[in-house]
């Protein structure tokens, strides 16, 4: 509940545009687009970790679906409530996955081996050298005002590196972003540094440079619209976008 | 007198809070506070402004002249709406000018509507009794489809009309506001020795709820808003070029390209892969930020005609952005991350003699060189992680212009250097554009409606 209250406070009091929007909404009903967008962004952001936060992620996805259904039925208040709940759950899912990432990866790996062990005969003559992992590209996050990364982000980067090796024909746009603090021109430069840091990391590990392009939006395209440290942290990122 | 900024209670609270934080972090504050800053004194007192002192910001005081602006008289069947426009423009813009206190109309205890515009018809003791030192009288008269506009300034204590560098004329209704502003400029010139800024323009960006961001231009008094970008993309960082052209960066083609708007049409000027931004024009030269050839951002000179590179001015592995010219186009200030954080640097226009100018704080960005050439204004993050506006002189001495009023960014000087327009999130309504005198003492909201305004640049 504590996190819930904190989240509500930060949303409702620190982003007056939302307040204004809410007033507007009560006057003339419109779909709660911002809440839906935020929920969608949060669900998307958590998707890469859904195997490690199964229930919460599934619940968030379901809530988002319900919110969309409410919009169809023009029940905007219910839609907004559901969208906000979906966003909160998706964030919690992501956080839970982040906290238990290593254990979870080990568990998943063990489960995969077990499944292969029972599903395959003992003698493996025509077995490919390595079983294909189910990998997903994930977003890499950065510390404040920095173009270098933390250990968690390095793991995300390693996952993306394996994905790139699995998909040798794929080309990727590395999209660099910053939080809203600071000023826009410097932040475009900082977002570009982040994207280039990631590109250099991958090139050093054998990915061909012509498969990777970079683009920075600076602070212009946030995924989290609040003003909490958590929101800022989620916006400091490099996204991996297949082209 | 009603203080424009914090009440005494707020100030006490803030003072104790900042003292506490100061103790926790360091015993020496990184920046001098506004109260400690030496008075610049050369901004408001050039003419014979003998008004009254009022509290304008914190404990700072500034002399404002009390002026009465009774309703504009509509004569000979003139449209009442035009009379309304004249009186509203007079009141709002005299207030915005920062030298006057426009007296509330409901304090006039006598009927002002039948009093003529000639000095002989005016009951000056009445105006003295409402506290006015200046009196602005106005009328509009219909002459065919034209409007005869009469505006007069009187000295109440001397009981006479003041002759101004402006004369009454007959003009099209569309030009009335422009002419009222010319009159206000003449009134400001009378009191301060220099005409006011009305008639000048600013460019700015404004974010929409869908996530797009557009470039606009408007008159400094908020009239004549014109949207420059017609795409649905993110457009940012407008600045003025020659002949009223406007440079800006746009993601219209999925890369931060530099575009230029000239007389209604836009074209791409620099579209190298990576950053193309921060255009600053001076005397035929155009300085920009580019991340050319896969390099980190550096400052370049490019041709204003075809965008080709004329000269690379910085070459450093750290971020170099945001060039701004000295008024004589001989030097450039810019932002560099080469010493860690972000700081203001200066160099000659050919890139030689690069030296660091700011040594306080850790994040000083968006510099703009003052039209007088003696100072550079910038937004800096202070020891409490608040963004505020500061100036630095060529010796590195720093003055603070904003404090305890939300976060303040992106300052830009008026053509005469007496004012700054800037972004502030004070007041809890998101980012809006504010105006202040160059000494920071007088600060006023410019965009009274809407939010998400940013990156204002004043045309010079």
């Amino acid at each position: 509940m504590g996190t819930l209250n904190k989240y509500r406070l930060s949303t409702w009091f620190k982003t007056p545009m939302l307040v204004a929007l809410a007033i507007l909404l009560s006057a003339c009903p419109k779909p709660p687009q911002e809440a839906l967008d935020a929920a969608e962004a949060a669900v998307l952001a958590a998707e890469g970790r859904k195997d490690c936060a199964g229930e919460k992620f599934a619940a968030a996805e379901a809530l988002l679906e319900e919110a969309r259904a409410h919009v169809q039925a023009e029940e905007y208040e219910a839609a907004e409530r559901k969208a906000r709940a979906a966003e909160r759950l998706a964030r919690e899912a992501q956080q839970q996955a982040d906290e238990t990432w290593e254990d979870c990866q080990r568990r998943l790996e063990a489960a995969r081996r077990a499944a292969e062990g029972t599903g395959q005969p003992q003698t493996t003559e025509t077995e490919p050298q390595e079983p294909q992992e189910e990998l997903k590209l994930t977003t890499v996050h950065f510390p404040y005002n920095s173009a270098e990364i933390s250990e968690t982000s390095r793991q995300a980067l390693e996952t993306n590196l394996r994905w790139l090796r699995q998909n040798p024909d794929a080309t990727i746009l590395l999209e660099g972003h910053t939080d809203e603090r600071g000023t826009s021109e410097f932040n475009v430069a900082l977002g570009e540094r982040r994207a280039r840091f990631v590109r250099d990391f991958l090139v050093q590990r054998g990915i061909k440079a012509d498969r990777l392009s970079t683009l920075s939006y600076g602070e212009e395209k946030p995924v989290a619209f609040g003003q909490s440290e958590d929101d800022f942290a989620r916006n400091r990122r490099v996204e991996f976008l297949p082209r | 007198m009603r203080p424009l900024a914090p009440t005494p209670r707020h100030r006490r609270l803030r003072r104790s809070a900042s003292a506490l934080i100061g103790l926790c972090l360091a015993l020496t504050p990184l920046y001098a506070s506004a109260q400690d800053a030496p008075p610049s004194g050369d901004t408001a007192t050039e003419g014979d402004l003998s008004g009254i002192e009022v509290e304008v910001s914190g404990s700072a005081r500034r002399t404002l002249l009390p002026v009465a602006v009774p309703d504009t008289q509509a004569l000979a069947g003139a449209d009442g709406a035009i009379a309304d426009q004249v009186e509203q423009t007079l009141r709002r813009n005299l207030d915005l000018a920062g030298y006057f206190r426009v007296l509330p109309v409901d304090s006039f205890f006598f009927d002002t509507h039948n009093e003529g515009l000639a000095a002989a018809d005016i009951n000056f003791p009445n105006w003295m009794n409402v506290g006015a030192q200046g009196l602005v009288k106005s009328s509009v008269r219909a002459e065919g489809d034209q409007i005869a506009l009469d505006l007069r300034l009187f000295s109440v204590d001397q009981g006479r009309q003041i002759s101004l560098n402006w004369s009454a004329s007959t003009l099209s209704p569309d030009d009335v506001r422009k002419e009222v502003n010319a009159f206000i400029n003449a009134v400001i010139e009378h009191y301060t020795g220099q005409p006011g800024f009305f008639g000048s323009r600013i460019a700015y960006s404004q974010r929409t709820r869908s996530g797009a961001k557009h470039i606009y231009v408007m008159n400094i008094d908020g009239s004549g808003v014109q949207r420059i970008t017609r795409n649905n993309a993110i457009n940012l960082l407008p600045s003025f070029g020659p002949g009223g052209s406007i440079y800006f960066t746009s993601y219209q083609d999925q890369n931060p390209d530099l575009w230029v708007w000239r007389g209604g049409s836009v074209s791409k000027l620099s579209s190298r892969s990576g950053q193309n931004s921060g255009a600053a024009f001076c005397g035929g030269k155009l300085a920009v930020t580019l991340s050319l050839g896969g390099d980190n951002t550096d400052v370049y000179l490019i041709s204003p005609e075809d965008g080709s590179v004329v000269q690379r001015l910085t070459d450093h592995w750290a971020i170099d952005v945001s060039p701004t010219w000295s008024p004589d186009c001989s030097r450039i200030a810019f932002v560099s991350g080469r010493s860690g954080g972000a700081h203001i640097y200066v160099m000659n226009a050919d890139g030689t003699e690069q030296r660091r100018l700011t040594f306080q704080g850790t994040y000083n960005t968006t510099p703009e060189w003052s039209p007088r050439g003696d100072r550079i204004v910038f937004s800096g993050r202070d020891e409490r992680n608040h963004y505020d506006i500061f100036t630095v002189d060529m010796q590195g001495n720093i003055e603070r212009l904003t404090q305890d009023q939300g976060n303040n960014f992106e300052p830009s000087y008026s053509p005469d250097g007496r004012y700054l327009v800037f972004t502030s999130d004070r007041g809890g309504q998101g980012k809006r554009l504010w105006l202040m005198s160059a000494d920071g003492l007088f600060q006023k909201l410019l965009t009274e409606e809407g939010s998400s305004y940013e990156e204002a640049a004043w045309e010079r």
Side-chain angles (χ1 to χ4, degrees):
Chain A
M1 278 318 279
T3 54
L4 173 67
N5 286 336
K6 190 175 142 219
Y7 169 57
R8 284 213 169 125
L9 267 175
S10 66
T11 310
W12 287 106
F13 286 95
K14 293 189 181 168
T15 56
M17 271 189 63
L18 278 180
V19 178
L21 179 70
I23 293 163
L24 257 175
L25 281 172
S26 59
C28 56
K30 270 192 199 143
Q33 202 51 48
E34 290 199 14
L36 283 167
D37 289 349
E40 203 158 331
V43 169
L44 277 177
E47 196 167 18
R49 294 166 174 73
K50 70 176 175 188
D51 293 340
C52 294
E55 282 169 33
K56 277 202 170 154
F57 182 81
E61 251 186 336
L63 274 168
L64 180 57
E65 273 315 305
E66 286 174 36
R68 287 190 181 123
H70 281 303
V71 171
Q72 289 297 317
E74 300 189 2
E75 295 155 359
Y76 297 135
E77 261 184 50
E80 177 158 10
R81 268 203 314 278
K82 291 260 164 81
R84 296 204 180 283
E87 188 195 2
R88 195 181 69 244
L89 269 178
R91 284 194 198 193
E92 285 174 11
Q94 189 171 1
Q95 197 179 356
Q96 181 186 324
D98 282 347
E99 282 163 5
T100 61
W101 185 253
E102 279 178 39
D103 287 349
C104 168
Q105 288 301 305
R106 271 198 291 276
R107 241 185 2 257
L108 287 175
E109 188 61 35
R112 258 197 300 276
R113 281 207 208 93
E116 281 155 16
T118 53
Q120 295 283 329
Q122 235 80 342
T123 49
T124 55
E125 302 130 329
T126 53
E127 178 77 70
Q129 309 89 315
E130 221 180 281
Q132 287 275 301
E133 295 174 88
E134 264 294 316
L135 291 176
K136 276 231 164 88
L137 289 171
T138 60
T139 295
V140 177
H141 291 93
F142 288 78
Y144 177 56
N145 205 15
S146 171
E148 279 151 46
I149 56 168
S150 64
E151 198 44 46
T152 356
S153 293
R154 190 169 293 268
Q155 283 168 16
L157 208 41
E158 296 286 355
T159 307
N160 293 348
L161 177 62
R162 289 206 298 280
W163 187 97
L164 282 160
R165 285 175 178 153
Q166 268 186 16
N167 300 275
D169 298 330
T171 60
I172 297 288
L173 174 64
L174 303 169
E175 207 179 81
H177 300 268
T178 69
D179 64 35
E180 65 169 53
R181 291 173 295 180
T183 47
S184 47
E185 194 180 14
F186 195 86
N187 275 340
V188 174
L190 183 58
E192 188 164 289
R193 269 177 90 84
R194 285 178 177 157
R196 287 184 176 177
F197 173 88
V198 168
R199 184 195 60 191
D200 294 348
F201 178 97
L202 297 169
V203 169
Q204 276 167 18
R205 281 155 188 78
I207 303 298
K208 286 212 179 75
D210 61 9
R211 295 176 59 197
L212 305 167
S213 53
T214 57
L215 172 62
S216 169
Y217 277 99
E219 65 186 69
E220 308 295 333
K221 267 190 155 179
V223 287
F225 294 88
Q227 307 245 305
S228 67
E229 276 306 320
D230 184 49
D231 290 317
F232 293 146
R234 297 201 311 126
N235 287 332
R236 296 189 297 265
R237 68 201 193 276
V238 170
E239 293 182 15
F240 281 64
L241 305 170
R243 307 208 78 174
Chain B
M1 206 56 41
R2 192 176 66 89
L4 292 178
T7 64
R9 189 175 62 87
H10 281 127
R11 257 181 288 125
R12 239 189 341 266
L13 278 174
R14 287 204 177 105
R15 214 172 283 144
S16 54
S18 63
L20 203 67
I21 291 162
L23 270 175
C24 294
L25 291 178
L27 284 169
T28 48
L30 284 173
Y31 289 109
S33 73
Q35 285 82 357
D36 297 338
S40 41
D42 57 350
T43 47
T45 51
E46 286 150 340
D48 58 343
L49 188 66
S50 56
I52 43 165
E53 280 211 334
V54 295
E55 197 164 10
V56 285
S57 177
S59 60
R61 301 181 77 77
R62 195 172 205 225
T63 302
L64 297 184
L65 184 100
V67 55
V69 186
D71 292 348
T72 300
Q73 296 175 13
L75 308 172
D79 188 352
I82 291 180
D84 289 351
Q85 188 198 25
V86 170
E87 72 202 26
Q88 279 160 21
T89 306
L90 283 171
R91 286 172 191 151
R92 153 98 176 141
N93 290 357
L94 281 168
D95 185 46
L96 202 56
Y99 296 111
F100 308 102
R101 194 173 94 80
V102 179
L103 298 171
V105 176
D106 58 17
S107 71
F108 306 158
F109 55 87
F110 46 92
D111 183 16
T112 63
H113 295 98
N114 296 318
E115 194 179 76
L117 261 66
D121 300 333
I122 296 173
N123 185 340
F124 285 105
N126 270 350
W127 292 110
M128 187 104 60
N129 285 337
V130 300
Q133 292 186 23
L135 170 65
V136 172
K137 302 212 83 175
S138 52
S139 72
V140 289
R141 198 175 63 241
E143 283 191 7
D145 55 359
Q146 300 281 94
I147 296 291
L149 178 69
D150 195 354
L151 305 166
R152 301 182 190 188
L153 173 69
F154 298 90
S155 162
V156 172
D157 40 355
Q158 294 170 14
R160 63 174 182 88
Q161 187 178 348
I162 291 166
S163 98
L164 294 176
N165 204 357
W166 182 90
S167 52
S169 61
T170 301
L171 68 175
S172 148
D174 296 341
D175 294 332
V176 166
R177 179 194 282 269
K178 199 173 146 197
E179 202 52 35
V180 171
N181 279 333
F183 169 80
I184 294 172
N185 284 346
V187 170
I188 293 169
E189 184 177 7
H190 166 72
Y191 286 113
T192 71
Q194 258 189 300
F197 55 62
F198 294 102
S200 62
R201 303 188 303 164
I202 57 168
Y204 60 93
S205 67
Q206 191 177 20
R207 190 183 292 278
T208 68
R209 257 197 269 149
S210 66
K213 193 166 157 179
H214 296 300
I215 307 294
Y216 294 85
V217 63
M218 70 176 183
N219 298 323
I220 190 62
D221 68 350
S223 64
V225 176
Q226 185 185 2
R227 182 166 147 189
I228 298 301
T229 50
R230 294 277 153 200
N231 56 34
N232 211 18
I234 292 167
N235 306 281
L236 65 164
L237 296 164
S239 65
F240 281 95
S245 60
I246 295 171
Y247 299 108
F248 60 96
T249 294
S250 175
Y251 285 86
Q252 179 174 340
D253 293 338
Q254 286 73 52
N255 187 66
D257 298 323
L258 184 68
W259 293 68
V260 59
W261 176 90
R262 284 190 196 94
S265 64
V266 293
S267 57
K268 237 189 257 189
L269 188 59
S270 177
S271 54
R272 293 152 176 112
S273 175
Q275 191 163 351
N276 305 261
S277 65
F281 182 87
C282 194
K285 293 180 187 169
L286 185 59
V288 294
T289 303
L290 299 177
S291 51
L292 194 57
D295 265 0
N296 190 28
T297 48
D298 277 300
V299 177
Y300 290 79
L301 292 181
I302 63 170
S303 155
E305 281 79 41
D306 61 10
S308 60
V309 169
V310 175
Q311 194 185 352
R312 181 176 188 159
L313 298 183
T314 70
D315 187 355
H316 199 278
W317 53 264
I319 290 172
D320 289 335
V321 293
S322 305
T324 173
W325 291 93
S326 65
D328 63 357
C329 311
S330 69
R331 286 193 290 167
I332 290 173
F334 62 102
V335 174
S336 180
R338 61 186 66 177
S339 51
H343 280 284
I344 311 296
Y345 284 69
V346 286
M347 63 184 168
N348 294 334
D350 61 0
T352 57
E353 287 183 49
Q354 298 184 11
R355 75 181 169 95
R356 182 173 167 185
L357 203 56
T358 59
F359 290 87
Q360 288 162 297
T362 55
Y363 192 93
N364 300 319
T365 60
T366 67
E368 192 184 281
W369 214 305
S370 78
R372 296 180 183 191
D374 55 340
R375 304 193 77 82
I376 291 165
V377 69
F378 62 94
S379 35
R381 191 180 59 219
D382 71 7
E383 66 274 18
R384 292 179 294 160
N385 285 330
H386 290 174
Y387 290 84
D388 272 308
I389 309 237
F390 302 87
T391 63
V392 59
D393 68 13
M394 296 306 125
Q395 285 71 49
N397 300 310
I398 284 178
E399 269 184 34
R400 180 192 273 268
L401 299 184
T402 61
Q403 188 165 28
D404 294 336
Q405 299 274 328
N407 291 294
N408 304 282
F409 311 90
E410 301 156 349
S412 178
Y413 275 108
S414 64
D416 62 8
R418 292 198 291 178
Y419 295 85
L420 291 156
V421 63
F422 62 103
T423 308
S424 180
D425 65 4
R426 68 183 69 175
Q429 293 184 48
K431 290 180 175 173
R432 295 180 292 176
L433 299 183
W434 289 69
L435 184 74
M436 67 173 156
S437 54
D439 57 10
L441 293 184
F442 173 82
Q443 306 198 4
K444 195 137 194 89
L445 176 63
L446 205 55
T447 53
E448 289 176 333
E449 282 169 32
S451 181
S452 300
Y453 296 90
E454 291 180 276
E455 301 165 355
W458 209 321
E459 185 174 24
R460 291 195 199 166

